[in-house]
Amino acid sequence: MDCRPGCGACCIAPSISSSIPGMLHGKRAGERCIQLSADFLCLLFGDPRRPVVCSAFSADPVCCGETREDAIRLLGWLEQATT
C-alpha cells in the first residue's frame, strides 16, 4: 500500500529512539515529530538525515487500516504491545 497523503500517524503514534533533526533524543510515543508538517507530511522524506527507522517503515493495511484514525489507533496499539 502507498502512504495515505496527509496521514502522519507514523510520525505521531510510535516512539523513535534515534536522533531526529530538532529532536536530539528522538520522541516519545504519541508525541508529534517536529519534522511533521502542518499538512501531516514528513519534512525529511528523501533526506539522508531522516532516521533509518522512519525510512524502513512501509505503509501496510495491517498497521495503517483504512483511515488516519485507524492508523493512529493501530500503531499506538503496536507500540504498547512491543514495549
Side-chain angles (χ1 to χ4, degrees), residues 6 10-12 15 23 27 33 44 51 60 63 83:
C10 58
C11 301
I12 299 169
S15 61
M23 300 180 97
K27 64 172 233 46
C33 178
L44 293 176
D60 185 285
C63 49
T83 55

Side-chain angles (χ1 to χ4, degrees), residues 6-82:
C7 178
C10 58
C11 301
I12 299 169
S15 61
I16 298 175
S17 58
S18 55
S19 180
I20 302 165
M23 300 180 97
L24 184 62
H25 302 291
K27 64 172 233 46
R28 297 180 310 273
E31 179 181 15
R32 182 187 178 101
C33 178
I34 197 166
Q35 297 298 334
L36 184 61
S37 76
D39 295 331
F40 296 100
L41 299 172
C42 177
L43 297 171
L44 293 176
F45 195 84
D47 186 315
R49 298 175 301 153
R50 186 176 184 210
V52 173
V53 68
C54 299
S55 297
F57 180 80
S58 286
D60 185 285
V62 171
C63 49
C64 298
E66 297 290 323
T67 65
R68 178 178 188 279
E69 291 74 22
D70 284 349
I72 292 281
R73 183 178 46 78
L74 291 166
L75 290 169
W77 178 83
L78 286 169
E79 173 73 25
Q80 290 298 316
T82 58

